[in-house]
Amino acid sequence: MAEGMRSGGIPAVGTSELFQILRDGVPRTRAELAAMTGLARSTVGVRLDTLTEIGLVGAAETAVSTGGRPPVQVALLPQARLIAAADIGASHARVAMTDLSGSPLAAADARLDIADGPERVLTWLVGAIDGMLADIDRTRADIAAVGIGLPGPVEFSTGRPANPPIMPGWDGFDVPAWLRAHIPAHVLVDNDVNIAALGEREHGWPDVDHLLFVKVATGIGSGIVSEGRLQRGAQGTAGDIGHVRVASAGDTPCRCGNTGCLEAVASAPAIARALRAAGHDVASSDDVIALVARGDIDAIGAVRQAGRMIGEVLATCVSLINPSVIAVGGSVTRAGEHLLAGVREVVYARSMPLATEHLIIAQSRAGAGAALAGAAALAIDYALSPAGVDEMVATLEDRRLVVR
Ligand SMILES: [Zn+2]
């Protein structure tokens, strides 16, 4: 019989597998855990000792006593370890420290330029993390995992940016290895739209398993949640809808080198450009939103038209992945319902009735905090997974060897 297997070929329940039962935070007794796993109570005890030693599990508040000594219950201790989350944009970064349930404990933000390169940006990040740790009186060793979003394509399996257009110096940079030299924790890196999709689902639509999150800002991108899981595709570029050709874009040049891309006609800079061509004094998406807020017909029309062009691409997405919710976020959505009105107009007209019968097209619920919440969710999911718990156990065993 292979090691690690019980008779009958059922995988043995190790420490990290036992922890998966306790991940939901529900307090349980040793007897209950023994019954659920088929392990002897003494074996459950050994596994729980390890989980207690790494701090993930501890004695829970015992239920109201019905007389006699109540059985000891154990549960996940969310405050035992920390998660560092970062949403690094083109010109602005936010970081937060949360517990293992995602509750924020500290936060910081700063203006910075992603084009300064990885070492300067990540040096700032480590400094910000140290500052937050000092505020809550904890240390780097308490961090279980780090989740980071970057404004460009990332090869998720290695955490290396892949040909990011606005991030000089970052191409292929080993972000996890650089950070691990400072913070002894697992580091997960993904692009900002993917982590925003995770945050949007976690905080806006926790019961929705098929969600498409669309970000309309300087660029246009989407994150796909299907069967409750983020879908990154083979190279991590799934959902990159900004460079899909739209018929009404004609030969408008795009920053990717192609022409007729969605981003070239429906992003915030494209809307501003269209309004400038119509004689309006607009420089940024803020100016566009201010113009819409004043009820300017041209501005409202331009935003709605951008919505229609985005809807053209989203109608195809609806046919391909059949989401039940399309959540639209990003700076342009601050212009109110006009963008969504354009999206709905085209998606409902161009999709098959069955696909849109129950389809909700709505503003992002998680708002500007979606990406940071998603970065935390990504890191928590890893930290509490069997692989994450095994890593913590291995670190503990290394420390024991050093002590001996
Ligand atoms: Zn393009």
Side-chain angles (χ1 to χ4, degrees), residues 17 41 61 70 76 83 103 123 137 140 188 201 242 244 286 326 334 387-388 394:
E17 287 85 12
R41 267 199 222 194
E61 302 282 315
L76 167 70
I83 294 295
S103 298
T123 299
D137 205 18
R140 288 178 180 182
L188 300 107
R201 178 178 185 240
V244 171
D286 284 348
I326 296 177
R334 286 187 287 128

Side-chain angles (χ1 to χ4, degrees), residues 6 13 18 21-22 28-48 72 74:
R6 288 184 299 164
V13 179
L18 179 70
I21 297 171
L22 292 163
R28 294 184 176 87
T29 63
R30 284 178 187 218
E32 283 170 323
L33 290 168
M36 289 170 88
T37 56
L39 294 173
R41 267 199 222 194
S42 56
T43 311
V44 169
V46 173
R47 306 261 191 280
L48 286 177
V72 177
V74 292

Side-chain angles (χ1 to χ4, degrees), residues 132-224:
M132 291 187 293
L133 287 170
D135 287 346
I136 58 176
D137 205 18
R138 304 284 289 262
T139 69
R140 288 178 180 182
D142 291 332
I143 299 176
V146 183
I148 301 173
L150 291 174
V154 174
E155 186 184 59
F156 180 69
S157 59
T158 62
R160 294 170 187 260
N163 299 311
I166 58 164
M167 299 166 61
W170 289 81
D171 185 25
F173 188 84
D174 194 341
V175 176
W178 193 96
L179 275 174
R180 264 199 309 272
H182 303 270
I183 295 165
H186 196 86
V187 178
L188 300 107
V189 190
D190 206 340
N191 84 67
D192 55 350
V193 185
N194 275 350
I195 61 165
L198 280 178
E200 180 69 24
R201 178 178 185 240
E202 184 94 0
H203 290 271
W205 316 85
D207 301 324
V208 171
D209 281 340
H210 300 271
L211 173 124
L212 183 66
F213 174 79
V214 184
K215 181 179 177 184
V216 187
T218 309
I220 297 176
S222 75
I224 304 161

Side-chain angles (χ1 to χ4, degrees), residues 7-404:
S7 58
I10 304 163
V13 179
T15 304
S16 55
E17 287 85 12
L18 179 70
F19 175 73
Q20 298 309 304
I21 297 171
L22 292 163
R23 242 180 111 152
D24 60 6
V26 175
R28 294 184 176 87
T29 63
R30 284 178 187 218
E32 283 170 323
L33 290 168
M36 289 170 88
T37 56
L39 294 173
R41 267 199 222 194
S42 56
T43 311
V44 169
V46 173
R47 306 261 191 280
L48 286 177
D49 286 347
T50 305
L51 290 171
T52 307
E53 210 169 329
I54 57 177
L56 280 183
V57 162
E61 302 282 315
T62 28
V64 180
S65 172
T66 51
R69 199 161 65 93
V72 177
Q73 290 184 310
V74 292
L76 167 70
L77 297 178
Q79 302 256 347
R81 300 294 292 269
L82 302 172
I83 294 295
D87 169 26
I88 299 175
S91 58
H92 189 233
R94 306 158 182 250
V95 286
M97 204 62 84
T98 78
D99 67 14
L100 294 172
S101 70
S103 298
L105 304 171
D109 68 328
R111 296 210 69 81
L112 54 78
D113 192 352
I114 193 86
D116 284 345
E119 299 204 352
R120 282 185 69 173
V121 169
L122 295 176
T123 299
W124 171 82
L125 178 61
V126 170
I129 288 172
D130 282 341
M132 291 187 293
L133 287 170
D135 287 346
I136 58 176
D137 205 18
R138 304 284 289 262
T139 69
R140 288 178 180 182
D142 291 332
I143 299 176
V146 183
I148 301 173
L150 291 174
V154 174
E155 186 184 59
F156 180 69
S157 59
T158 62
R160 294 170 187 260
N163 299 311
I166 58 164
M167 299 166 61
W170 289 81
D171 185 25
F173 188 84
D174 194 341
V175 176
W178 193 96
L179 275 174
R180 264 199 309 272
H182 303 270
I183 295 165
H186 196 86
V187 178
L188 300 107
V189 190
D190 206 340
N191 84 67
D192 55 350
V193 185
N194 275 350
I195 61 165
L198 280 178
E200 180 69 24
R201 178 178 185 240
E202 184 94 0
H203 290 271
W205 316 85
D207 301 324
V208 171
D209 281 340
H210 300 271
L211 173 124
L212 183 66
F213 174 79
V214 184
K215 181 179 177 184
V216 187
T218 309
I220 297 176
S222 75
I224 304 161
V225 175
S226 189
E227 299 282 356
R229 294 174 56 88
L230 186 68
Q231 305 295 328
R232 296 185 175 89
Q235 259 69 49
T237 68
D240 195 359
I241 59 171
H243 304 281
V244 171
R245 187 173 179 82
V246 284
S248 49
D251 290 330
T252 313
C254 178
R255 61 180 172 145
C256 73
N258 233 321
T259 58
C261 297
L262 177 64
E263 199 170 290
V265 288
S267 62
I271 297 169
R273 205 180 320 115
L275 287 170
R276 273 199 301 279
H280 291 280
D281 180 22
V282 289
S284 65
S285 56
D286 284 348
D287 296 338
V288 173
I289 285 144
L291 214 52
V292 170
R294 287 206 299 273
D296 182 275
I297 299 293
D298 289 348
I300 291 171
V303 169
R304 189 165 180 135
Q305 178 57 20
R308 289 189 194 101
M309 291 188 280
I310 294 164
E312 243 184 83
V313 175
L314 292 182
T316 305
C317 297
V318 166
S319 297
L320 275 176
I321 59 176
N322 186 202
S324 47
V325 172
I326 296 177
V328 186
S331 61
V332 178
T333 54
R334 286 187 287 128
E337 283 288 312
H338 305 294
L339 186 80
L340 264 78
V343 171
R344 289 191 189 107
E345 207 183 295
V346 176
V347 170
Y348 289 128
R350 290 294 314 161
S351 305
M352 296 303 283
L354 188 60
T356 51
E357 190 185 349
H358 301 292
L359 174 65
I360 297 167
I361 300 174
Q363 296 259 16
S364 160
R365 288 180 176 172
L372 199 54
L378 184 70
I380 291 168
D381 193 53
Y382 178 82
L384 302 185
S385 71
V389 175
D390 282 342
E391 220 171 276
M392 289 185 220
V393 172
T395 310
L396 175 76
E397 280 160 5
D398 288 348
R399 222 180 296 146
R400 279 185 187 144
L401 290 175
V402 171
V403 172
R404 278 171 198 161

